[in-house]
Amino acid sequence: QFKAISSSGGQTYTASKGTDLGGNTGISFPDITTSAPRNLYWIGGQGEWRDPSHWSLSSGGTAITNCDIPTSADNVYFDQNSGFTPAQNRILMKGISLSKSNNVTFTNTPGQPVIDFGTDGSNPYYLTVYGNLTLQSDLKIIVPLNSYGLIRNIIMAQGASAGRTRYIDTKGAYTYLNINAQDYFELKSAYQGDMNFTNTAGFKTNSYPITLLNFSWNQTINNNPVVDFGQSVITGTRKIGRASCRERV
């Protein structure tokens, strides 16, 4: 994983299997694919994202023999045929740089699904999203804790081109986001959780309410970002001792 790194002497380096966390120059990421996108549907209930047997080309269909797991070009869907039950409802994130997609969409997925992030003991696992993020209100996200607090395990990463408009529609599900793309992001529903922006071109809330554990904005380039909170009611939740909320909004 690379963030805010510049190469010297005009050299270009290739980061095979690497993840672009934003702010990098002179580094190419070949895993940002340009192949024809697929629509992949989760099947078979609880399991690991990296397990090909959980991906099908149709809702409720069968796993494709030798089917590759989602790439950065593919759209993934979790729906009423994903096979979750209240006792078996976890999507387990494991493996370095293996969990990625273009758009992620949850729609009427039963069993109150859980995205469960783990670590390999020292390095956390991530879900890297190159398009839009659409969740459902009863979804739960479990993230590990490090010395700095809870880890933002969902990365909204830069795709093949910058300046696109992308959407965040979490429907109030508590979410931890790292937004590391020179794109414009808009909320499509109320937001709860943690947001960190790096070199983002713009952020618009569309006046939806926001409940924040933390909000931070970091710039390593001058791209004149535009932030529009509209009429959003913004509520902070983090307190340090007796101090009041310390969110930067």
Side-chain angles (χ1 to χ4, degrees):
Q1 295 149 6
F2 297 82
K3 180 178 180 180
I5 296 176
S6 299
S7 65
S8 61
Q11 299 294 320
T12 298
Y13 297 91
T14 299
S16 298
K17 304 298 182 182
T19 299
D20 183 4
L21 298 183
N24 300 299
T25 59
I27 303 173
S28 67
F29 296 87
D31 286 338
I32 300 177
T33 63
T34 57
S35 60
R38 301 172 296 173
N39 291 329
L40 295 177
Y41 296 81
W42 183 273
I43 58 172
Q46 178 169 298
E48 296 182 11
W49 181 288
R50 65 182 179 180
D51 183 353
S53 69
H54 281 287
W55 297 108
S56 173
L57 289 174
S58 62
S59 175
T62 58
I64 303 173
T65 302
N66 298 322
C67 176
D68 291 331
I69 63 175
T71 71
S72 59
D74 297 325
N75 303 312
V76 303
Y77 297 89
F78 298 82
D79 62 13
Q80 67 274 16
N81 296 316
S82 290
F84 296 115
T85 67
Q88 295 288 315
N89 62 353
R90 299 196 176 209
I91 304 149
L92 302 167
M93 298 298 179
K94 294 184 178 181
I96 301 298
S97 300
L98 292 179
S99 303
K100 64 186 67 175
S101 72
N102 184 40
N103 298 328
V104 174
T105 303
F106 282 79
T107 306
N108 299 321
T109 312
Q112 295 184 315
V114 176
I115 301 177
D116 190 349
F117 291 95
T119 70
D120 66 357
S122 59
N123 297 310
Y125 300 135
Y126 295 92
L127 170 61
T128 305
V129 180
Y130 294 88
N132 303 321
L133 179 66
T134 303
L135 306 180
Q136 61 186 57
S137 60
D138 64 346
L139 180 134
K140 183 178 181 180
I141 298 173
I142 298 176
V143 299
L145 185 69
N146 66 10
S147 58
Y148 298 99
L150 294 170
I151 299 172
R152 304 178 186 100
N153 287 76
I154 299 179
I155 300 170
M156 306 291 284
Q158 184 68 64
S161 62
R164 297 177 299 154
T165 297
R166 297 165 60 182
Y167 298 100
I168 300 168
D169 185 5
T170 59
K171 298 181 178 64
Y174 214 94
T175 311
Y176 306 86
L177 282 184
N178 241 330
I179 301 174
N180 301 314
Q182 296 174 43
D183 293 325
Y184 298 90
F185 289 85
E186 293 189 19
L187 293 184
K188 300 290 283 184
S189 60
Y191 186 89
Q192 292 191 88
D194 190 311
M195 304 183 89
N196 176 72
F197 295 82
T198 300
N199 294 331
T200 306
F203 176 57
K204 185 177 182 180
T205 67
N206 288 315
S207 296
Y208 286 108
I210 305 176
T211 302
L212 292 169
L213 175 67
N214 183 71
F215 182 96
S216 57
W217 195 288
N218 308 285
Q219 292 294 124
T220 61
I221 62 174
N222 183 14
N223 60 351
N224 299 312
V226 177
V227 181
D228 181 359
F229 288 111
Q231 299 298 312
S232 290
V233 175
I234 302 174
T235 304
T237 62
R238 186 176 68 176
K239 294 184 177 181
I240 306 297
R242 296 184 180 180
S244 59
C245 299
R246 298 183 61 190
E247 283 63 46
R248 292 179 288 170
V249 296

